[in-house]
């Protein structure tokens, strides 16, 4: 990440500087600045917010280049440079087009710039304006081959005032990416207009793009000259709700999840529409594709390799796209061996022994001669072989996941099973057992007796004589309960081929020496005429048979956990629920608005990754359906969870911990809560991140909203919150738990929760996917057999070969490696990732207020301290859930990371 530095740039007599490029800011690259120092006069270019350098900068500009700020007849001569970022990889046609566009810009026919004053022109009753074409025969040379610069001149009347916006018109045939516009020559010093946006061609849209200067301004404080532009900017991105969206457009609108199925092609790929009374769901971005032939309520799909529409600035940039493409190639490579095996056999094959799994992590695997001969007969496989084979026909394999890297057998132990409920990839479902007996809330007329089969006697036997009441009083019993959310779907899931599931409950005990351990597992099937209460209870036992059955029971719990993690905690609660906030932010908050500027880094890439998920992950026949327990009912389960469980006010970390009984309210404690289990790494580290976000947001909100009615008087802010509730989460619009938005405290609470979800919460449940799930036995995503019982034909086979029974119940080799490949991709940080501790550098280009910049710098310093605290905690031998022999340290809340699968790092946004 390049950081902001004062700029030293040699300017010509009549230049205006406009810079462009997403990740190669000229203003932030010291190496680039050194290359610009020439024999011509040198002037320091400082942001307009650097008050102590304003006057000196203006004086130097005048001394070295003549009267820039005073000319009685000609007005004020101002200047700029426009810098455009080109593609990293261009084909021949694109290079020809690029050279032609450079020529057009050079002769003043490519880009038109209009400066708009903050003052009103009495003749037009709008902002004063003056325009000029970008000129210069050749782009100014830079050290970065992907950055080009052009010059332009303005002679501004003396009564023009200060520019508050610019309008950019692109006469080229193609779009270009604009970084920022820096206007020099005004007495106040350089004026920055941060852009970081694609400028559409006039051929596609005749309207000019509006770019405001780097200031945060409430609606009531908008300078009169740009007030109409503020409204026009918002209207331009809302659209009219009609027509199919084009890829160059920047239209933010809402739609239901009606594009997951594909019943026009295959009837079995039909899926219900999500986003109604029966099956509620958050809204997604509207694409406007035509309806399917068979069902007008569903939308036709866009299949790979064609992209799904997202507003232009939401799409992956080239570095991110290349990383994602590399992940797809990796997925292809990782699935090669299982795919060959499936092709050579009648059906996909299971793992037959643990060596089959171990082979996945060898540095390379040699495809044997027989396999190569068979592959040659299949053109599809031959093409894939040609893409991925290396010297000696060796195939690159998977990295060893963190969960087995230090201890190959950790996953077998009960304490590791329990540890991962507190420090694994899904540490958000464990809850305190508050009352006994355990009862279901499902309709007993349909789902049988509500009482759990876990009896008092059974629990007390496992508690070594301690009564259940005493254990509950001492807060020693915990539960992971997937019974009610899954039981309504179990019969349908079990009717799918090669897939068997239970609805699980797991009781865990926390011992005085700080060890959490599972003691009882209940697995339930829907009631049947022969078995009105179809529930089985398991304990770990003391003989070989019960030990193996206990392992199978834990595997079924893990498959429940993997499905709920992916569909509810990961996809629904972060990805899907975040999208309406993003759409509403663009539709209702001007880019001038301080809340827009605060949230903007936390919105990056989310709509694109969500669109890609609808295309290939959560769609009918996609990876989730193919490889996770719920199969074709996956998104229906996600909808059921949204209906029964999701509430905005409970997405705040402290509130969620209290709701689950994992913390109690304590005004004297940090964040107002005290953990029940001190050694709860997710909660302990997460509260540090939450606290840092809270301090930043509360200070930020207080900075901009000082008046007693400033929140209720902010028309954009009120429209934003109303749209989130009433449109973005339409199916939940009448719920009484939505927070009000009347005070600074209300606004702070809402923003803290949103930023937490986009950053810390998503990081905690996403980037551990491969480290924990990359070893299939640790977190099988589905099970293919029920647990054998005495008297059944497969019980004897189980007794004779329990290992084979266990492995044949796990996902097949193809299913497992597909999931591993996806988890590997989702756990990978892109080289262009922007992390939470980089906010001061990112936000520096949106604000001219030094007080605000100081808030972000303090936030970054606090995150650095948090990183040191986490490292110290991971070395503490008393914290057994994060340290010990073979125990991987808990690093998911470490703010920074290198690229790749690191098991650490908090990006600002949900970007993968």
């Amino acid at each position: 990440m390049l950081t902001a530095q004062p700029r030293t740039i040699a300017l010509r007599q009549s230049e205006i500087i406009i810079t462009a490029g997403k990740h190669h800011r000229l203003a932030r690259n010291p190496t680039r600045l050194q290359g610009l120092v020439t024999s011509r006069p040198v002037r320091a270019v400082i942001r307009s917010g650097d008050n102590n350098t304003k006057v000196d900068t203006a004086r130097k500009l005048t001394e070295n280049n003549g009267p820039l700020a005073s000319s009685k007849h000609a007005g004020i001569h101002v200047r700029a440079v426009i810098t455009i970022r080109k593609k990293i990889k261009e084909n021949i046609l694109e290079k020809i087009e690029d050279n032609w566009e450079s020529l057009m810009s050079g002769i003043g026919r490519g880009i038109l710039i209009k400066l708009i004053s903050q003052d009103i022109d009495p003749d037009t009753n709008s902002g004063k304006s003056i325009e000029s074409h970008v000129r210069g025969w050749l782009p100014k040379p830079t050290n970065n081959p992907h950055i080009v610069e052009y010059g332009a001149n303005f002679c501004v009347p003396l009564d023009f005032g200060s520019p508050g916006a610019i309008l950019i018109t692109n006469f080229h045939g193609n779009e270009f990416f604009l970084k920022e516009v820096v206007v020099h020559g005004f007495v106040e010093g350089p004026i920055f207009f941060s852009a970081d946006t694609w400028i559409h061609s006039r051929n596609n849209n005749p309207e000019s793009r509006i770019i405001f200067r780097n200031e945060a301004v409430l609606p009531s404080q908008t300078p009169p000259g740009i007030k109409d532009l503020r409204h026009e900017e918002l209207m331009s991105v809302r659209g009219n709700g009609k027509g199919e969206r084009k890829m160059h457009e920047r239209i933010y609108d809402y739609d239901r999840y009606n594009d997951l199925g594909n019943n026009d092609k295959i009837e079995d790929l039909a899926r219900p529409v999500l986003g109604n009374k029966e099956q509620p769901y958050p809204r997604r971005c509207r694409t406007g594709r035509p309806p399917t032939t068979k069902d007008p309520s569903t939308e036709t799909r866009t299949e790979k390799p064609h992209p799904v529409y997202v507003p232009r600035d939401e799409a992956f940039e080239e570095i991110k796209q290349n990383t994602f493409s590399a992940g797809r190639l990796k997925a292809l490579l990782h699935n090669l061996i299982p795919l060959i095996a499936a092709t050579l056999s009648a059906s996909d094959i299971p793992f037959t022994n643990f060596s089959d799994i171990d082979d996945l992590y060898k540095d390379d695997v040699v495809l044997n001669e027989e396999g190569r001969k068979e592959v040659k007969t299949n053109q599809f496989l031959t093409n894939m072989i040609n893409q991925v084979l290396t010297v000696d026909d060796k195939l690159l394999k998977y990295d060893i996941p963190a969960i087995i890297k230090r201890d190959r057998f950790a996953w077998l132990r009960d304490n590791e099973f329990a540890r991962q409920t507190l420090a694994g990839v899904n540490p958000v479902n464990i809850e305190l057992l508050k009352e006994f007996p355990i009862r279901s809330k499902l309709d007993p007329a349909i789902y049988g007796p509500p009482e759990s089969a876990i009896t008092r006697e059974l629990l007390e036997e496992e508690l070594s004589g301690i009564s259940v009441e005493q254990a509950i009083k001492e807060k020693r019993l915990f539960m992971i309960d997937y019974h009610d959310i899954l039981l309504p779907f179990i019969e349908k899931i079990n009717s799918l081929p090669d897939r068997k599931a239970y609805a699980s409950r797991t009781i865990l005990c926390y011992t005085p020496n700080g060890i959490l351990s599972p003691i009882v597992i209940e697995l339930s099937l829907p009631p049947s005429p022969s078995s009105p209460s179809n529930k089985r209870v398991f304990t770990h036992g003391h003989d070989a048979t019960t030990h193996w059955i206990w392992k199978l029971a834990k595997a079924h719990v893990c498959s429940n956990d993997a499905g709920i993690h992916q569909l509810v905690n990961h996809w629904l609660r972060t990805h899907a629920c975040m999208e309406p906030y993003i759409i509403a932010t663009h539709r209702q908050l001007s880019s001038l608005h301080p809340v827009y500027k605060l949230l903007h880094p936390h919105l990056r890439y989310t709509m694109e990754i969500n669109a890609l998920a609808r295309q290939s992950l959560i769609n009918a026949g996609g990876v989730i359906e193919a490889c996770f327990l719920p199969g074709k009912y996956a998104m229906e389960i996600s909808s059921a969870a949204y209906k029964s469980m999701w509430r905005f006010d409970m997405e705040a970390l402290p509130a969620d911990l209290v709701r689950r009984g994992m913390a109690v309210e304590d005004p004297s404690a940090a964040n107002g809560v005290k953990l029940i289990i001190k050694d709860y790494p997710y909660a302990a580290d997460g509260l540090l991140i939450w606290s840092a976000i809270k301090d930043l947001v509360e200070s930020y909100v207080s900075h901009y909203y000082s008046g007693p009615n400033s929140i209720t008087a902010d028309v954009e802010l009120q429209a934003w919150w109303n749209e989130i509730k009433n449109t973005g989460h339409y199916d939940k619009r009448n719920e009484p738990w939505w927070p009000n938005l009347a005070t600074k405290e209300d606004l702070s609470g809402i923003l803290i929760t949103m930023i937490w979800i986009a950053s810390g919460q998503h990081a905690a449940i996403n980037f551990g996917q491969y480290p924990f799930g990359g070893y299939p036995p640790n977190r099988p995503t589905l099970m293919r057999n029920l647990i054998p019982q005495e008297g059944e034909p497969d019980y004897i086979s189980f007794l004779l070969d329990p290992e084979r029974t266990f492995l044949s119940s796990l996902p097949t080799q193809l299913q497992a490696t597909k999931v591993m490949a996806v988890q590997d991709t989702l756990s990978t940080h892109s080289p262009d990732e922007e992390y939470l501790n980089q906010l001061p550098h990112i936000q520096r280009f949106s604000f001219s207020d030094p007080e605000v910049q100081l808030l972000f710098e303090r936030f970054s310093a606090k995150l650095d301290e948090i990183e040191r605290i986490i490292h110290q905690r991971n070395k503490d031998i008393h914290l057994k859930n994060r340290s010990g022999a073979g125990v991987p340290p808990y690093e998911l809340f470490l703010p920074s990371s290198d690229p790749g699968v690191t098991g650490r790092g908090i990006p600002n946004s949900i970007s993968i």
Side-chain angles (χ1 to χ4, degrees):
M1 180 68 192
L2 301 177
T3 58
Q5 300 289 339
R7 301 204 283 190
T8 303
I9 299 180
L11 303 178
R12 293 177 180 171
Q13 172 66 24
S14 53
E15 281 184 318
I16 289 182
I17 303 180
I18 305 175
T19 56
K22 180 76 175 177
H23 304 291
H24 303 283
R25 293 181 179 268
L26 172 63
R28 292 90 162 150
N29 192 331
T31 303
R32 167 70 191 103
L33 300 182
Q34 293 170 9
L36 284 175
V37 178
T38 68
S39 59
R40 291 175 289 168
V42 175
R43 292 172 296 288
V45 179
I46 309 296
R47 292 199 166 277
S48 56
D50 297 339
N51 295 324
N52 59 340
T53 58
K54 282 184 187 177
V55 176
D56 186 58
T57 300
R59 177 174 51 78
K60 288 183 179 181
L61 286 168
T62 303
E63 290 173 354
N64 289 306
N65 286 287
L68 298 182
S70 61
S71 176
K72 183 176 181 179
H73 301 290
I76 304 172
H77 293 274
V78 296
R79 60 195 57 174
V81 170
I82 184 165
T83 307
I84 296 171
R85 190 197 64 208
K86 301 191 299 181
K87 286 186 177 181
I88 297 174
K89 296 180 180 179
E90 290 182 316
N91 57 39
I92 296 299
L93 180 59
E94 288 171 331
K95 288 181 178 179
I96 294 173
E97 291 174 345
D98 179 56
N99 289 334
W100 172 253
E101 290 174 359
S102 294
L103 176 62
M104 290 298 99
S105 293
I107 62 176
R109 295 185 180 181
I111 302 170
L112 178 67
I113 306 171
K114 182 181 289 189
L115 296 183
I116 308 297
S117 173
Q118 294 181 341
D119 298 338
I120 288 286
D121 184 336
D123 294 333
T124 63
N125 203 31
S126 59
K128 300 174 183 177
S129 66
I130 187 168
E131 65 182 41
S132 175
H133 283 84
V134 170
R135 294 181 184 274
W137 280 106
L138 292 173
K140 290 179 65 178
T142 73
N143 290 341
N144 190 321
H146 310 298
I147 300 294
V148 294
E149 300 173 0
Y150 301 92
N153 317 328
F154 292 85
C155 184
V156 179
L158 293 175
D159 63 350
F160 184 79
S162 181
I166 61 170
L167 303 183
I168 304 286
T169 307
N170 175 15
F171 290 92
H172 294 307
N174 298 318
E175 64 184 2
F176 65 83
F177 195 91
L178 177 67
K179 272 310 278 177
E180 72 180 353
V181 178
V182 187
V183 179
H184 300 267
F186 290 92
V187 172
E188 62 187 288
I191 302 173
F192 289 75
F193 297 79
S194 184
D196 278 348
T197 186
W198 289 96
I199 306 297
H200 59 262
S201 169
R202 195 172 185 272
N203 297 339
N204 292 323
N205 181 355
E207 299 297 324
S208 301
R209 280 295 307 280
I210 303 167
I211 309 293
F212 292 109
R213 66 188 288 172
N214 293 11
E215 292 181 340
V217 182
L218 293 173
S220 60
Q221 300 169 348
T222 309
I226 60 172
K227 194 170 184 178
D228 289 345
L229 289 181
R230 184 168 186 150
H231 176 71
E232 184 181 330
E233 175 205 25
L234 291 174
M235 295 302 295
S236 70
V237 300
R238 292 176 187 171
N240 57 11
K242 299 178 181 179
E244 183 172 358
R245 299 271 65 90
K246 305 298 187 299
M247 298 306 293
H248 67 270
E249 293 179 319
R250 297 172 59 252
I251 302 299
Y252 296 80
D253 204 355
Y254 301 93
D255 207 342
R256 298 181 297 169
Y257 276 73
N258 62 352
D259 64 339
L260 302 179
N262 198 357
N263 61 333
D264 273 355
K265 289 188 175 182
I266 303 174
E267 188 172 342
D268 190 52
L269 294 182
R271 296 292 180 271
V273 174
L274 303 183
N276 49 57
K277 184 177 181 180
E278 293 74 25
Q279 294 183 305
Y281 219 61
R283 295 306 188 256
R284 63 164 175 94
C285 179
R286 179 184 178 276
T287 63
R289 297 190 299 262
T292 60
T293 303
K294 294 183 179 180
D295 182 3
S297 68
T298 62
E299 187 175 88
T300 53
R301 288 179 50 76
T302 298
E303 303 292 356
K304 288 182 177 180
H306 305 291
V308 177
Y309 168 81
V310 294
R312 183 64 184 95
D313 287 341
E314 305 299 325
F316 286 170
E317 293 301 335
E318 200 169 353
I319 294 174
K320 177 72 170 181
Q321 187 61 53
N322 290 343
T323 302
F324 202 77
S325 297
R328 288 200 296 267
L329 179 60
K330 188 184 297 183
L332 174 70
L333 180 146
H334 283 168
N335 284 289
L336 183 57
I337 291 295
L339 185 56
I340 293 171
T343 303
L344 300 183
S345 60
S347 61
D348 192 12
I349 59 176
F351 295 108
T352 57
N353 54 65
F354 284 98
S355 295
D356 291 343
I357 302 174
D358 293 340
D359 286 343
L360 295 171
Y361 313 107
K362 291 183 178 179
D363 290 337
D364 49 62
V365 173
V366 178
L367 187 64
N368 61 35
E369 185 63 30
E370 180 183 355
R372 287 198 295 272
K373 289 179 180 178
E374 291 292 339
V375 166
K376 290 178 182 178
T377 66
N378 186 313
Q379 186 60 45
F380 175 64
L381 295 179
T382 300
N383 291 339
M384 288 200 300
I385 287 288
N386 290 336
Q387 290 184 57
V388 298
L389 276 183
T390 58
V391 179
D392 298 327
D393 293 334
K394 293 181 180 179
L395 299 168
L396 180 66
K397 302 306 286 181
Y398 290 92
D399 292 331
I400 298 176
I403 189 59
I404 61 167
K405 198 165 190 176
R406 299 184 180 197
D407 184 351
R408 288 182 57 204
F409 304 106
W411 67 277
L412 282 166
R413 294 193 296 270
D414 286 351
N415 64 338
E416 178 60 27
F417 173 92
R419 189 190 73 84
Q420 290 181 35
T421 68
L422 300 172
V425 69
N426 188 39
V428 297
N429 279 109
I430 186 170
E431 57 184 299
L432 182 71
L433 183 62
K434 300 176 182 177
E435 56 185 28
F436 196 85
I438 303 165
R439 297 175 61 89
S440 169
K441 296 179 181 179
L442 297 175
D443 185 352
I446 300 174
Y447 299 105
E451 294 82 7
S452 167
I454 301 174
T455 64
R456 184 185 309 275
E457 294 74 21
L458 184 62
L459 274 181
E460 290 180 350
E461 182 178 342
E462 296 300 318
L463 290 170
S464 302
I466 300 175
S467 69
V468 171
E469 287 75 17
Q470 182 180 352
I472 290 176
K473 182 179 179 180
E474 295 175 358
K475 295 182 170 58
R476 290 178 55 185
L477 290 179
F478 298 84
M479 177 170 62
I480 301 173
D481 190 355
Y482 298 133
H483 179 276
D484 285 10
I485 187 63
L486 289 179
L487 191 61
F489 296 91
I490 293 298
E491 185 174 1
K492 293 188 288 187
I493 291 171
N494 288 345
S495 68
L496 299 173
D498 211 23
R499 197 163 307 203
K500 298 296 180 217
Y502 302 92
S504 69
R505 282 193 185 101
T506 305
I507 306 299
L508 305 100
C509 178
Y510 192 69
T511 63
N513 62 357
I515 298 297
L516 187 68
S517 180
I519 56 175
V520 179
I521 293 173
E522 179 188 55
L523 300 179
S524 300
L525 295 172
S528 63
S530 61
S531 182
S533 181
N534 207 350
K535 302 172 183 177
R536 297 178 65 186
V537 178
F538 305 88
T539 61
H540 33 83
H542 302 285
D543 60 82
T545 301
T546 53
H547 267 300
W548 272 106
I549 289 179
W550 176 249
K551 288 181 178 65
L552 286 167
K554 287 196 298 181
H556 275 280
V557 172
C558 287
S559 70
N560 278 198
D561 191 75
I564 296 299
H565 163 258
Q566 201 65 263
L567 293 165
V568 179
N569 299 327
H570 182 206
W571 169 256
L572 169 66
R573 293 175 63 187
T574 63
H575 285 260
C577 286
M578 194 71 197
E579 188 153 343
Y581 313 151
I582 298 171
I583 297 172
T585 297
H586 285 281
R587 286 170 54 87
Q588 299 298 341
L589 298 180
S590 166
S591 58
L592 278 170
H593 200 288
V595 170
Y596 176 96
K597 291 181 178 295
L598 177 68
L599 287 179
H600 191 257
H602 307 290
L603 315 180
R604 181 176 184 245
Y605 289 159
T606 303
M607 294 181 73
E608 171 79 346
I609 194 63
N610 286 2
L612 290 169
R614 298 201 314 273
Q615 191 175 42
S616 59
L617 290 180
I618 63 171
N619 60 302
V623 173
I624 301 300
E625 288 194 358
C627 303
F628 281 76
L629 173 144
K632 64 189 291 185
Y633 306 105
M635 290 301 289
E636 291 184 55
I637 291 175
S638 190
S639 171
Y642 180 69
K643 183 176 185 178
S644 64
M645 298 164 51
W646 186 86
R647 356 181 338 170
F648 180 87
D649 60 330
M650 291 293 106
E651 293 303 291
L653 177 60
D656 175 63
L657 292 171
V658 171
R659 176 185 64 83
R660 290 190 282 122
M662 300 305 293
V664 293
E665 294 182 356
D666 183 352
S668 66
N671 298 296
V673 295
K674 181 180 179 181
L675 294 179
I676 297 300
I677 298 178
K678 179 183 177 182
D679 188 12
Y680 184 0
Y682 161 78
D685 293 357
L687 286 171
L688 294 176
I689 301 297
W690 173 272
S691 178
I693 296 172
K694 181 173 181 287
D695 289 348
L696 170 67
V697 171
E698 289 178 346
S699 300
Y700 184 91
V701 168
S702 294
H703 181 79
Y704 285 103
Y705 293 94
S706 55
N709 300 315
S710 54
I711 299 291
T712 54
D714 188 332
V715 292
E716 288 182 7
L717 191 67
Q718 294 298 324
W720 168 77
W721 185 234
N722 286 332
E723 185 166 290
I724 286 172
K725 294 185 297 182
N726 298 318
T727 306
H729 285 273
Y730 178 84
D731 303 320
K732 294 270 191 175
R733 65 194 182 281
N734 295 322
E735 297 289 352
W737 40 253
W738 283 106
N740 294 319
L741 183 53
T743 67
K744 291 188 292 186
E745 292 73 23
D746 294 339
L747 177 58
S748 294
I750 290 167
L751 295 175
I752 295 164
T753 299
M754 289 181 178
I755 293 172
W756 160 254
I757 292 168
S759 56
Q761 178 69 0
H762 179 259
I765 59 177
N766 179 73
F767 292 104
Q769 290 196 72
Y770 186 78
F772 287 98
Y775 187 69
N778 185 59
R779 283 182 65 78
T781 55
L782 59 82
M783 296 293 282
R784 300 191 300 130
N785 298 309
L786 297 176
I787 297 176
Q789 300 186 67
E790 288 188 58
E792 295 177 347
D794 56 356
Y795 189 75
I796 300 298
S797 300
F798 159 67
L799 294 178
L800 294 173
D801 194 346
E803 179 181 326
R804 190 177 187 89
T805 298
F806 180 86
L807 291 172
S808 66
S809 297
L810 301 183
T812 64
Q813 291 193 32
L814 182 57
Q815 288 170 329
T817 50
K818 275 186 179 179
V819 170
M820 291 165 68
V822 170
Q823 290 173 331
D824 183 87
T825 300
L826 296 181
S827 302
T828 298
H829 290 292
S830 171
D832 74 333
E833 192 61 86
E834 295 178 348
Y835 297 96
L836 201 58
N837 62 340
Q838 296 172 325
L839 274 178
H841 308 303
I842 296 166
Q843 292 286 22
R844 184 171 296 170
F845 309 116
S846 296
F847 296 95
S848 58
D849 190 333
E851 292 184 27
V852 172
Q853 187 59 38
L854 182 60
L855 296 179
F856 286 107
E857 289 171 355
R858 289 173 178 168
F859 174 72
S860 182
K862 188 165 186 177
L863 291 181
D864 290 341
E865 176 61 22
I866 288 172
E867 191 151 331
R868 288 190 289 272
I869 292 172
I870 293 174
H871 283 306
Q872 291 171 357
R873 287 176 174 177
N874 286 335
K875 296 176 182 178
D876 188 340
I877 61 173
H878 300 99
L879 300 178
K880 298 179 175 61
N881 289 320
R882 60 198 313 155
S883 67
V887 176
Y890 188 76
E891 298 182 332
L892 289 169
F893 280 119
L894 288 175
S896 63
S897 176
D898 294 325
V901 179
T902 63
R904 60 174 289 171
I906 304 177
N908 290 315
S909 61
I910 301 169
S911 57
I912 190 65

